[in-house]
Amino acid sequence: MITVQRLDLTDARVMIDAAKAKAAEIGVPMCIAITDDAGNLVAFERMDGGKVTSTTIAIDKSYTASGAKKATHEYGDASQPGKPAYGIASAIGGRLMVVGGGLPVMVGGACVGGIGVSSGTPAQDMEVAQAGLDAILATL
Amino acid sequence: MITVQRLDLTDARVMIDAAKAKAAEIGVPMCIAITDDAGNLVAFERMDGGKVTSTTIAIDKSYTASGAKKATHEYGDASQPGKPAYGIASAIGGRLMVVGGGLPVMVGGACVGGIGVSSGTPAQDMEVAQAGLDAILATL
Amino acid sequence: MITVQRLDLTDARVMIDAAKAKAAEIGVPMCIAITDDAGNLVAFERMDGGKVTSTTIAIDKSYTASGAKKATHEYGDASQPGKPAYGIASAIGGRLMVVGGGLPVMVGGACVGGIGVSSGTPAQDMEVAQAGLDAILATL
Amino acid sequence: MITVQRLDLTDARVMIDAAKAKAAEIGVPMCIAITDDAGNLVAFERMDGGKVTSTTIAIDKSYTASGAKKATHEYGDASQPGKPAYGIASAIGGRLMVVGGGLPVMVGGACVGGIGVSSGTPAQDMEVAQAGLDAILATL
C-alpha cells in the first residue's frame, strides 16, 4: 500500500482565491484550475471576461503539471525543435501542455496537486499560477 | 445582434455554496459544475470524497441542461427504449447526459446557465442541483 | 472510375431555406445541417434560439443519413433492445445518430446527400427535415 | 448576471455573403464559418470546390478567434519555436488554430463572435475573413 497526500477542496480554494487576487491586481481575468496528485480536477473558476478557450487550457495545464510533477514551461523548453521532447505537445490528445502557466504543488518531495492558469500571456499566466502556489505553501 | 443574459462567477459561487450545503446535509460529497448559457464551464468543485468519474459527468450534465434548456432527467424519460429520443444518450461524444442531476437556470423565459451534480444517486444529484438552482433564483 | 452526383451549395441553401420556413411555421427555432454524399458538411444554420447542443446533433444526424443512406429514425427502430442493431447508437464516437431528424437525399437510387435537424422533439425535427428534402426533390 | 451581445443568424449571413463574394473575386472556393461570442457555430458554408479538410479547420479558426478574442494569426506569431506560446497549436484537442484566417468580431471592446475561413493560403483565408468582418462592422 502507498499512502499519499493530496490537495483537498479547502486547499484548492486557498489557491484559487490567491490566484484571483493576483489576476485582479494585474488586470487580466483568468481561468484557474486546481487538480489533485492524480491530475483530476478539484476546483475551477473562470473569472468574468476569462477566455472560453482557456477553460480547457487551464484544466490541461494543471493536469500536466500535477500528472508529470513538472511546470508546463519546463516542457516548453524541452520540446523545442531539435530537443529531446520535441513533439510531446500533442501527446494525450493535446492535453499535455507545454505553455507556461501550469505548476505542480510539491510538498516534501512529493507532488500533491497542481494549478493551471490561462487567458493572459504565458508570463501573466505563470505569475498568477505562482501566486496560487505561494498561497498554499504558506499554509504548510 | 442578440442581447442575452448569462450567469457570472458570483452567481456560480452562490449556486455552488448552496449545493454544497445540501450535499453536506444529506451526507454525500458531490461534484458540482456551473455552466453559462452557452454551456461553457464557469465554476466547478469536487467535494472531498466526490467521485473522480463524476467530474466529467457533472460538467456534462450542466452542459446538457444549459445547452438544451432542459433538465437532464427529462431526457431520461424521453430516451427510454421505444421512446422518441431513444439513443440520444450517446450524442455529442457522449456529452449529452440523460441522467438526473442537470438543471437549466431559466430567467424570464431564457436560459442563462445550468448546474450539474454527480456522485450520489440520480435522486440525490437532483436534490442537490435543485438547492443550487433555488439559491440563485432567490437572489433575483 | 465512378462518377457521382452530390448536392452543391445552391441545393443546400434551397434545403435550409425550406427547412427554416417550416421551423418558423411550427414555431421551433432549429439547427439545420446539410451534408453531401460523403457525409461532409456543406452548410449549416442555427436559427436564433436553436439549442447549442443541437449544433453537433444536427450535423451528426445529417452525417448519419447521408453516410448510411438511411433515415436516422430507421436506426431508431433497428437499435431497440433485442433488435439486431442494438448498440449502434454509440458507434463512431457517438456520431451515428438513431434519433429522428436525419434524412438522406436519394436521387435515382443513389444518395446525393442528407439533411439533419435538431432542437425540437424528434417528430418536429423530422417534419422540418422532410420540408428541406421535399424542397430539393421538387427542383429536380 | 452578465449582459452580453452576440451575433445573430442575420449577422452571420451578412458575413458569409461578403466572404463568399471576396472568395469568388480571388477565385478560391472557401469554407466559411461564423461562431457566436461563446465559440458555438451559428452558420457555415462550404463553397463548391472548398476543401473537405477545411470544414473543421474553418469552424475551429472561428471558434478560436471568438473564444480567445484574438486573430488566429496572432497565435501564429506567438507560437513559433522559441516563443512563449510555442506548443499551443495542439491545445483543446487541436481545436486551437494558430494559422491565419480566424478573426474575432469586436464591438465596443467586447467580442460578439468570430469568422473562420479555410481552403486557400493563409493570406487568402485572412483576406476573405476580413471581407466578412468588414461587412458586419459596416452594418453597425
Side-chain angles (χ1 to χ4, degrees), chain D residues 3 5 7 10-11 17 23 30 34 39 47 54-55 62 64 66 75 91 102 104-106 118 123 126 128 131-132:
Chain D
T3 302
Q5 278 198 304
L7 297 177
T10 303
D11 299 324
D17 288 344
M30 293 288 194
I34 309 296
M47 296 169 70
S54 288
T55 303
S62 191
T64 299
S66 56
Y75 276 116
V105 183
M106 304 298 296
S118 180
M126 288 167 70
V128 170

Side-chain angles (χ1 to χ4, degrees), chain D residues 11-48:
Chain D
D11 299 324
R13 293 236 44 88
V14 167
M15 295 178 74
I16 285 186
D17 288 344
K20 279 199 291 188
K22 174 60 75 179
E25 184 189 316
I26 66 172
V28 183
M30 293 288 194
C31 291
I32 304 160
I34 309 296
T35 48
D36 62 21
D37 64 308
N40 289 313
L41 193 63
V42 177
F44 171 84
E45 289 194 8
R46 176 157 52 97
M47 296 169 70
D48 300 335

